[in-house]
Structure formats: C-alpha cells, structure tokens
Coordinates of all heavy atoms in Angstrom, one line a residue:
M1 N -74.8 78.1 -120.0 CA -76.0 77.4 -119.5 C -76.5 78.0 -118.3 O -75.8 78.3 -117.3 CB -75.6 76.0 -119.3 CG -76.7 75.1 -118.8 SD -76.3 73.4 -119.0 CE -76.1 72.8 -117.4
A2 N -77.8 78.3 -118.2 CA -78.4 78.9 -117.0 C -78.5 77.8 -115.9 O -78.8 76.7 -116.1 CB -79.8 79.4 -117.4
T3 N -78.2 78.3 -114.7 CA -78.2 77.4 -113.5 C -79.2 77.8 -112.5 O -79.3 77.2 -111.4 CB -76.8 77.4 -112.9 OG1 -76.5 78.8 -112.4 CG2 -75.8 76.9 -113.8
G4 N -80.0 78.8 -112.8 CA -81.1 79.2 -111.8 C -81.1 80.7 -111.7 O -80.7 81.4 -112.6
W5 N -81.5 81.1 -110.5 CA -81.7 82.5 -110.3 C -80.3 83.2 -110.2 O -79.4 82.7 -109.8 CB -82.4 82.8 -108.9 CG -83.8 82.3 -108.9 CD1 -84.3 81.1 -108.5 CD2 -85.0 82.9 -109.5 NE1 -85.6 81.0 -108.7 CE2 -86.1 82.1 -109.3 CE3 -85.1 84.2 -110.1 CZ2 -87.3 82.4 -109.7 CZ3 -86.4 84.5 -110.6 CH2 -87.5 83.6 -110.4
A6 N -80.3 84.5 -110.6 CA -79.1 85.3 -110.5 C -78.9 85.7 -109.1 O -79.8 85.8 -108.3 CB -79.2 86.5 -111.4
G7 N -77.7 85.8 -108.7 CA -77.3 86.2 -107.3 C -77.8 87.6 -107.0 O -78.1 88.4 -107.9
D8 N -77.7 87.9 -105.7 CA -78.1 89.3 -105.3 C -77.1 90.3 -105.9 O -75.9 90.1 -105.9 CB -78.0 89.4 -103.8 CG -79.1 88.6 -103.1 OD1 -80.1 88.3 -103.7 OD2 -79.0 88.3 -101.9
G9 N -77.7 91.3 -106.5 CA -76.9 92.4 -107.1 C -76.4 92.1 -108.5 O -75.6 92.9 -109.0
A10 N -76.7 90.9 -109.0 CA -76.2 90.6 -110.4 C -76.6 91.6 -111.4 O -75.9 91.9 -112.3 CB -76.6 89.2 -110.7
V11 N -77.9 92.0 -111.3 CA -78.4 93.0 -112.3 C -77.6 94.3 -112.2 O -77.2 94.9 -113.2 CB -79.9 93.2 -112.2 CG1 -80.4 94.3 -113.1 CG2 -80.6 91.9 -112.5
Q12 N -77.4 94.8 -111.0 CA -76.7 96.0 -110.8 C -75.3 95.9 -111.2 O -74.7 96.8 -111.8 CB -76.8 96.5 -109.3 CG -76.2 97.8 -109.1 CD -77.0 98.9 -109.8 OE1 -78.2 99.0 -109.8 NE2 -76.2 99.8 -110.5
D13 N -74.7 94.7 -111.0 CA -73.3 94.5 -111.4 C -73.2 94.6 -112.9 O -72.2 95.1 -113.5 CB -72.8 93.1 -111.0 CG -72.6 93.1 -109.5 OD1 -72.5 94.1 -108.8 OD2 -72.5 91.9 -108.9
Q14 N -74.2 94.0 -113.6 CA -74.2 94.1 -115.1 C -74.4 95.5 -115.6 O -73.7 96.0 -116.5 CB -75.3 93.2 -115.6 CG -75.4 93.2 -117.1 CD -74.2 92.5 -117.8 OE1 -73.7 91.5 -117.3 NE2 -73.7 93.0 -118.9
I15 N -75.2 96.3 -114.9 CA -75.5 97.7 -115.3 C -74.2 98.5 -115.1 O -73.7 99.2 -115.9 CB -76.6 98.3 -114.5 CG1 -77.9 97.7 -114.9 CG2 -76.7 99.8 -114.7 CD1 -79.1 98.0 -114.0
D16 N -73.5 98.3 -113.9 CA -72.3 99.0 -113.6 C -71.2 98.6 -114.6 O -70.5 99.5 -115.1 CB -71.8 98.6 -112.2 CG -72.7 99.2 -111.1 OD1 -73.5 100.1 -111.4 OD2 -72.6 98.7 -110.0
A17 N -71.1 97.4 -115.0 CA -70.1 97.0 -116.0 C -70.3 97.6 -117.3 O -69.4 98.0 -118.0 CB -70.0 95.5 -116.1
T18 N -71.6 97.7 -117.7 CA -71.9 98.3 -119.0 C -71.6 99.8 -119.0 O -71.0 100.3 -120.0 CB -73.5 98.1 -119.3 OG1 -73.7 96.7 -119.3 CG2 -73.9 98.7 -120.6
I19 N -71.9 100.5 -118.0 CA -71.6 101.9 -117.9 C -70.1 102.1 -117.9 O -69.6 103.0 -118.5 CB -72.2 102.5 -116.6 CG1 -73.8 102.5 -116.8 CG2 -71.7 103.9 -116.3 CD1 -74.5 102.9 -115.5
K20 N -69.3 101.3 -117.1 CA -67.9 101.4 -117.1 C -67.3 101.2 -118.4 O -66.4 102.0 -118.9 CB -67.3 100.4 -116.1 CG -65.8 100.4 -115.9 CD -65.4 99.4 -114.9 CE -63.8 99.4 -114.9 NZ -63.3 98.3 -114.0
D21 N -67.8 100.2 -119.2 CA -67.3 100.0 -120.5 C -67.6 101.1 -121.5 O -66.7 101.5 -122.3 CB -67.9 98.7 -121.1 CG -67.4 97.4 -120.4 OD1 -66.3 97.5 -119.7 OD2 -68.0 96.4 -120.6
A22 N -68.8 101.7 -121.3 CA -69.1 102.8 -122.2 C -68.3 104.1 -121.9 O -67.8 104.8 -122.8 CB -70.6 103.2 -122.0
I23 N -68.0 104.3 -120.6 CA -67.1 105.4 -120.2 C -65.7 105.2 -120.8 O -65.1 106.2 -121.3 CB -67.1 105.6 -118.7 CG1 -68.5 106.1 -118.2 CG2 -66.0 106.6 -118.3 CD1 -68.7 106.1 -116.7
Q24 N -65.2 104.0 -120.6 CA -63.9 103.8 -121.2 C -63.8 103.9 -122.7 O -62.8 104.5 -123.2 CB -63.4 102.3 -120.8 CG -63.1 102.2 -119.3 CD -62.7 100.8 -119.0 OE1 -63.0 99.8 -119.7 NE2 -62.1 100.6 -117.9
R25 N -64.8 103.5 -123.4 CA -64.9 103.6 -124.8 C -64.9 105.1 -125.3 O -64.2 105.5 -126.2 CB -66.1 102.9 -125.4 CG -66.1 102.9 -126.9 CD -67.3 102.1 -127.5 NE -68.6 102.6 -127.0 CZ -69.4 102.0 -126.2 NH1 -69.1 100.9 -125.6 NH2 -70.6 102.6 -125.8
V26 N -65.7 105.9 -124.6 CA -65.8 107.3 -124.9 C -64.5 108.1 -124.6 O -64.0 108.9 -125.4 CB -67.0 108.0 -124.2 CG1 -67.0 109.5 -124.3 CG2 -68.3 107.4 -124.7
R27 N -63.9 107.8 -123.4 CA -62.7 108.4 -123.0 C -61.5 108.1 -124.0 O -60.7 108.9 -124.2 CB -62.3 108.0 -121.6 CG -63.1 108.7 -120.6 CD -62.6 108.4 -119.2 NE -63.3 109.2 -118.2 CZ -63.3 108.9 -116.9 NH1 -62.6 107.9 -116.4 NH2 -63.9 109.7 -116.1
S28 N -61.6 106.9 -124.6 CA -60.5 106.5 -125.5 C -60.6 107.3 -126.8 O -59.7 107.3 -127.6 CB -60.6 105.0 -125.8 OG -61.7 104.6 -126.6
Q29 N -61.8 107.9 -127.1 CA -62.0 108.6 -128.3 C -61.6 110.1 -128.1 O -61.6 110.8 -129.1 CB -63.4 108.5 -128.8 CG -63.8 107.1 -129.2 CD -65.3 106.9 -129.4 OE1 -66.1 107.8 -129.2 NE2 -65.7 105.7 -129.9
L30 N -61.3 110.5 -126.9 CA -61.0 111.9 -126.6 C -59.6 112.2 -127.2 O -58.7 111.3 -127.2 CB -61.0 112.2 -125.1 CG -62.4 112.2 -124.5 CD1 -62.2 112.4 -123.0 CD2 -63.2 113.4 -125.0
P31 N -59.4 113.4 -127.6 CA -58.0 113.8 -128.1 C -57.0 113.6 -127.0 O -57.3 113.9 -125.8 CB -58.1 115.2 -128.5 CG -59.6 115.6 -128.5 CD -60.3 114.5 -127.7
Q32 N -55.8 113.2 -127.3 CA -54.7 113.0 -126.4 C -53.6 114.0 -126.7 O -53.5 114.5 -127.8 CB -54.2 111.6 -126.5 CG -55.2 110.5 -126.2 CD -55.7 110.5 -124.8 OE1 -54.9 110.6 -123.9 NE2 -57.0 110.3 -124.6
G33 N -52.8 114.2 -125.7 CA -51.6 115.0 -125.9 C -51.8 116.5 -125.4 O -52.9 116.8 -124.9
P34 N -50.8 117.3 -125.6 CA -50.9 118.7 -125.1 C -51.9 119.5 -126.0 O -52.0 119.2 -127.2 CB -49.5 119.2 -125.3 CG -48.9 118.4 -126.3 CD -49.5 117.0 -126.2
G35 N -52.5 120.5 -125.4 CA -53.4 121.4 -126.2 C -52.6 122.5 -126.9 O -51.4 122.6 -126.7
L36 N -53.3 123.3 -127.7 CA -52.7 124.4 -128.4 C -52.3 125.5 -127.4 O -53.1 125.7 -126.4 CB -53.6 124.9 -129.5 CG -53.9 123.9 -130.6 CD1 -54.9 124.6 -131.5 CD2 -52.6 123.6 -131.4
E37 N -51.3 126.2 -127.7 CA -50.9 127.4 -126.8 C -51.3 128.7 -127.5 O -51.5 129.7 -126.8 CB -49.4 127.4 -126.6 CG -48.9 126.2 -125.8 CD -47.4 126.2 -125.6 OE1 -46.7 127.1 -126.0 OE2 -46.9 125.2 -125.0
H38 N -51.6 128.7 -128.8 CA -52.0 129.9 -129.5 C -53.2 129.5 -130.4 O -53.2 128.4 -131.0 CB -50.9 130.5 -130.3 CG -49.8 131.0 -129.5 ND1 -48.7 130.3 -129.0 CD2 -49.6 132.3 -129.1 CE1 -47.9 131.0 -128.3 NE2 -48.4 132.3 -128.3
C39 N -54.1 130.4 -130.6 CA -55.2 130.2 -131.5 C -54.7 130.1 -132.9 O -53.9 130.8 -133.4 CB -56.2 131.4 -131.4 SG -57.6 131.3 -132.5
E40 N -55.2 129.1 -133.6 CA -54.8 128.8 -135.0 C -55.3 130.0 -135.9 O -54.7 130.2 -137.0 CB -55.4 127.5 -135.5 CG -54.7 126.3 -134.8 CD -55.3 125.0 -135.3 OE1 -56.4 125.0 -135.8 OE2 -54.5 124.0 -135.2
Q41 N -56.4 130.6 -135.6 CA -56.9 131.7 -136.5 C -56.4 133.0 -136.2 O -56.0 133.8 -137.1 CB -58.5 131.7 -136.4 CG -59.1 130.5 -136.9 CD -60.7 130.5 -136.7 OE1 -61.2 131.4 -136.1 NE2 -61.3 129.5 -137.3
C42 N -56.3 133.4 -134.9 CA -55.8 134.8 -134.6 C -54.5 134.9 -133.9 O -54.0 136.0 -133.6 CB -56.9 135.5 -133.8 SG -57.1 134.9 -132.2
D43 N -53.9 133.7 -133.6 CA -52.6 133.6 -132.9 C -52.6 134.2 -131.5 O -51.6 134.5 -130.9 CB -51.5 134.3 -133.7 CG -50.1 133.8 -133.3 OD1 -50.0 132.5 -133.0 OD2 -49.2 134.6 -133.3
A44 N -53.8 134.4 -130.9 CA -53.9 134.9 -129.5 C -53.5 133.7 -128.6 O -53.7 132.5 -128.8 CB -55.3 135.3 -129.2
V45 N -53.0 134.1 -127.4 CA -52.5 133.1 -126.4 C -53.8 132.5 -125.8 O -54.7 133.2 -125.4 CB -51.7 133.8 -125.3 CG1 -51.3 132.8 -124.3 CG2 -50.4 134.4 -126.0
I46 N -53.8 131.2 -125.7 CA -54.8 130.4 -125.0 C -54.4 130.2 -123.6 O -53.4 129.6 -123.3 CB -55.1 129.1 -125.8 CG1 -55.5 129.3 -127.2 CG2 -56.2 128.3 -125.0 CD1 -55.6 128.1 -128.0
P47 N -55.2 130.6 -122.6 CA -54.9 130.5 -121.2 C -54.9 129.0 -120.8 O -55.7 128.2 -121.4 CB -55.9 131.3 -120.4 CG -57.1 131.4 -121.4 CD -56.5 131.4 -122.8
E48 N -54.1 128.7 -119.8 CA -54.0 127.3 -119.3 C -55.3 126.9 -118.6 O -55.9 127.8 -117.9 CB -52.9 127.2 -118.4 CG -52.6 125.8 -117.9 CD -51.4 125.7 -117.0 OE1 -50.5 126.5 -117.2 OE2 -51.4 124.8 -116.1
A49 N -55.8 125.7 -118.8 CA -57.0 125.3 -118.1 C -56.8 125.1 -116.6 O -55.7 124.7 -116.2 CB -57.5 123.9 -118.7
H50 N -57.8 125.3 -115.8 CA -57.7 125.2 -114.4 C -58.7 124.2 -113.9 O -59.2 124.4 -112.7 CB -57.8 126.5 -113.7 CG -56.7 127.5 -114.1 ND1 -55.5 127.4 -113.6 CD2 -56.7 128.6 -114.9 CE1 -54.7 128.4 -114.1 NE2 -55.5 129.1 -114.9
D51 N -59.1 123.2 -114.7 CA -60.1 122.3 -114.3 C -59.7 121.5 -113.0 O -60.6 121.1 -112.2 CB -60.4 121.3 -115.4 CG -61.1 122.0 -116.6 OD1 -61.6 123.1 -116.4 OD2 -61.0 121.4 -117.7
A52 N -58.5 121.2 -112.9 CA -58.0 120.4 -111.8 C -58.2 121.1 -110.4 O -58.4 120.4 -109.4 CB -56.5 120.1 -111.9
E53 N -58.3 122.4 -110.4 CA -58.5 123.2 -109.2 C -60.0 123.0 -108.7 O -60.2 123.3 -107.5 CB -58.2 124.6 -109.4 CG -56.8 124.9 -109.7 CD -56.5 126.4 -110.0 OE1 -57.4 127.2 -109.9 OE2 -55.4 126.7 -110.4
Q54 N -60.9 122.6 -109.5 CA -62.3 122.5 -109.1 C -62.5 121.3 -108.3 O -63.6 121.2 -107.7 CB -63.2 122.5 -110.4 CG -63.1 123.8 -111.2 CD -64.0 123.7 -112.4 OE1 -64.6 122.7 -112.7 NE2 -64.0 124.8 -113.1
G55 N -61.6 120.4 -108.2 CA -61.8 119.2 -107.4 C -62.5 118.1 -108.1 O -62.9 118.3 -109.3
G56 N -62.6 117.0 -107.5 CA -63.2 115.9 -108.1 C -64.7 115.8 -107.8 O -65.4 116.7 -107.4
F57 N -65.2 114.6 -108.0 CA -66.6 114.3 -107.7 C -66.9 114.4 -106.3 O -66.2 113.9 -105.4 CB -66.9 112.9 -108.2 CG -68.3 112.4 -107.9 CD1 -69.4 112.9 -108.6 CD2 -68.5 111.4 -107.0 CE1 -70.6 112.5 -108.4 CE2 -69.8 111.0 -106.7 CZ -70.9 111.5 -107.4
T58 N -67.9 115.2 -105.9 CA -68.3 115.4 -104.5 C -69.3 114.4 -104.0 O -69.4 114.3 -102.8 CB -68.8 116.8 -104.3 OG1 -70.1 116.9 -105.1 CG2 -67.9 117.9 -104.8
G59 N -70.0 113.8 -104.9 CA -71.0 112.8 -104.4 C -72.3 113.4 -104.0 O -73.2 112.7 -103.4
Y60 N -72.5 114.7 -104.1 CA -73.7 115.3 -103.7 C -74.7 115.3 -104.8 O -74.5 115.8 -105.9 CB -73.4 116.8 -103.3 CG -74.6 117.5 -102.8 CD1 -75.1 117.3 -101.6 CD2 -75.2 118.5 -103.6 CE1 -76.3 118.0 -101.2 CE2 -76.3 119.2 -103.2 CZ -76.8 118.9 -102.0 OH -77.9 119.6 -101.5
N61 N -75.8 114.7 -104.6 CA -76.9 114.6 -105.6 C -77.9 115.7 -105.3 O -78.8 115.6 -104.5 CB -77.5 113.2 -105.5 CG -78.6 113.0 -106.5 OD1 -78.9 113.9 -107.3 ND2 -79.2 111.8 -106.5
R62 N -77.8 116.7 -106.1 CA -78.7 117.9 -106.0 C -80.2 117.4 -106.2 O -81.1 117.9 -105.5 CB -78.4 119.0 -106.9 CG -79.2 120.2 -106.7 CD -78.8 121.3 -107.7 NE -79.8 122.3 -107.6 CZ -79.7 123.5 -107.0 NH1 -78.6 123.7 -106.3 NH2 -80.6 124.4 -107.0
R63 N -80.4 116.6 -107.2 CA -81.8 116.2 -107.5 C -82.4 115.4 -106.3 O -83.6 115.5 -106.1 CB -81.8 115.2 -108.7 CG -81.6 115.9 -110.0 CD -81.7 115.0 -111.1 NE -82.4 115.6 -112.2 CZ -82.7 115.0 -113.3 NH1 -82.5 113.8 -113.5 NH2 -83.3 115.7 -114.3
G64 N -81.6 114.7 -105.6 CA -82.1 113.9 -104.5 C -82.2 114.6 -103.2 O -82.6 114.1 -102.2
S65 N -81.7 115.9 -103.1 CA -81.6 116.6 -101.9 C -83.0 117.2 -101.5 O -83.8 117.6 -102.4 CB -80.6 117.7 -101.9 OG -81.0 118.8 -102.7
K66 N -83.3 117.2 -100.3 CA -84.6 117.7 -99.8 C -84.7 119.2 -100.1 O -85.8 119.6 -100.5 CB -84.7 117.4 -98.3 CG -86.1 117.7 -97.8 CD -86.2 117.3 -96.3 CE -87.6 117.6 -95.8 NZ -87.7 117.3 -94.4
D67 N -83.6 119.9 -100.0 CA -83.7 121.3 -100.2 C -84.1 121.7 -101.6 O -84.9 122.6 -101.9 CB -82.3 122.0 -99.9 CG -82.0 122.0 -98.4 OD1 -82.9 121.8 -97.6 OD2 -80.8 122.1 -98.1
S68 N -83.6 120.9 -102.6 CA -83.9 121.2 -104.0 C -85.4 120.9 -104.3 O -86.0 121.5 -105.2 CB -83.0 120.5 -105.0 OG -83.3 119.1 -104.9
Q69 N -86.0 120.0 -103.6 CA -87.4 119.7 -103.8 C -88.3 120.7 -103.2 O -89.5 120.8 -103.6 CB -87.7 118.3 -103.2 CG -86.9 117.2 -103.9 CD -87.0 115.9 -103.3 OE1 -87.8 115.7 -102.3 NE2 -86.3 114.9 -103.8
L70 N -87.8 121.4 -102.2 CA -88.7 122.4 -101.5 C -88.8 123.7 -102.3 O -89.6 124.5 -102.0 CB -88.1 122.7 -100.1 CG -88.2 121.5 -99.2 CD1 -87.5 121.8 -97.8 CD2 -89.6 121.0 -98.9
R71 N -87.9 123.9 -103.2 CA -87.9 125.2 -104.0 C -88.8 125.3 -105.1 O -89.3 124.4 -105.7 CB -86.5 125.5 -104.5 CG -85.6 125.7 -103.3 CD -84.2 126.0 -103.8 NE -83.3 125.9 -102.6 CZ -82.1 126.0 -102.6 NH1 -81.4 126.2 -103.7 NH2 -81.4 125.9 -101.5

C-alpha cells in the first residue's frame, strides 16, 4: 500500500539494487573452476592469466574528465 512520497534517494536505491541483482545473475552464469592448462586442439601450453596484476577499479571516469572533452 502506498503511503505517500518516496524518500530521498529511493529511486537511486532501486536502480542500484536492480544493477546489483543483474551483476550477481550474470556472474553466477560464468564458468567456475580451474581453466585449461593445454589447448584442446593443438596441445600448446596456455599461459597463466595475469588479470589480478592490473589492479581493481580505479574510479576514474574518462568520459567525465575535462581533458577528454578538450581533445
């Protein structure tokens, strides 16, 4: 039952919750477990991934930066 106006930030909270749920759903569909060590077709060694070395999210928004708009 509706009780009146939504509180401050209620719309953003709903958007955030929807995005969080969508991310969790997609991540749950990703393959789990160890990857292959050798190619199934040619038996070549597959090098170990180094994604963890790249660091996490930096929070830098290139689209919103003034420098990117000046170019």
Side-chain angles (χ1 to χ4, degrees):
M1 177 160 111
T3 59
W5 295 99
D8 290 342
V11 172
Q12 187 62 49
D13 291 343
Q14 181 68 38
I15 293 169
D16 292 343
T18 301
I19 291 171
K20 182 180 175 183
D21 291 343
I23 290 171
Q24 288 177 343
R25 185 176 61 251
V26 170
R27 284 186 174 165
S28 72
Q29 296 172 355
L30 291 173
Q32 300 293 319
L36 295 175
E37 295 179 4
H38 292 85
C39 177
E40 292 179 336
Q41 294 179 352
C42 67
D43 202 36
V45 176
I46 299 174
E48 186 177 330
H50 296 287
D51 295 340
E53 294 176 6
Q54 295 178 358
F57 176 69
T58 62
Y60 181 73
N61 181 359
R62 182 180 170 102
R63 286 185 142 184
S65 75
K66 186 174 181 181
D67 291 339
S68 68
Q69 294 173 6
L70 295 175
R71 294 181 192 175

